Structure formats: structure tokens, C-alpha cells
Amino acid sequence: MKIRIDPARCDGYANCVIEADEVFEIDDESGQASVRRTGVPAELAEAVRRAEASCPAQAILVED
């Protein structure tokens, strides 16, 4: 699973962190989300999909 955050779209709502704090974090300086880990274990895939769906800015891009 490959995850990217589109910085042009991210408004720092932090819904992704709420859904999957093991995978996403909010940068203190920019206020935008970033991906914490490069490899996402299978047990976190559902949480990542929830994060993607919950992003109001549609800034999370997930590829299987």
C-alpha cells in the first residue's frame, strides 16, 4: 500500500490522524498532514482507507 498526501489540498483537519495515528501525523510547522511510515502493515489498511474517506479535502492518495 502506497500513501501520499497532496500538500496543495491538505488543510490540516487531522481526520487522518484520528483514524490512523500510527500512519499519519500533523507537522507542527506547516499544520499539514504527513505520512509517518513508508510500509503499512495489513492490519492498518482498513484504518488508512477510513482516513482517506474521512479527509474533507480529499488530500490522501492511496494505491494498493
Side-chain angles (χ1 to χ4, degrees):
M1 175 176 278
K2 184 176 178 181
I3 307 165
R4 289 188 313 112
I5 303 286
D6 182 344
R9 289 183 158 194
C10 181
D11 290 326
Y13 289 104
N15 291 12
C16 55
V17 176
I18 293 167
E19 293 294 339
D21 66 345
E22 305 93 337
V23 179
F24 301 98
E25 64 187 354
I26 298 295
D27 182 271
D28 290 335
E29 289 186 29
S30 70
Q32 292 184 314
S34 62
V35 180
R36 298 176 76 168
R37 51 192 314 165
T38 55
V40 177
E43 63 267 12
L44 294 177
E46 185 177 327
V48 168
R49 291 293 183 189
R50 283 195 312 268
E52 178 185 31
S54 72
C55 180
Q58 298 179 344
I60 301 170
L61 308 167
V62 179
E63 297 176 23
D64 287 322

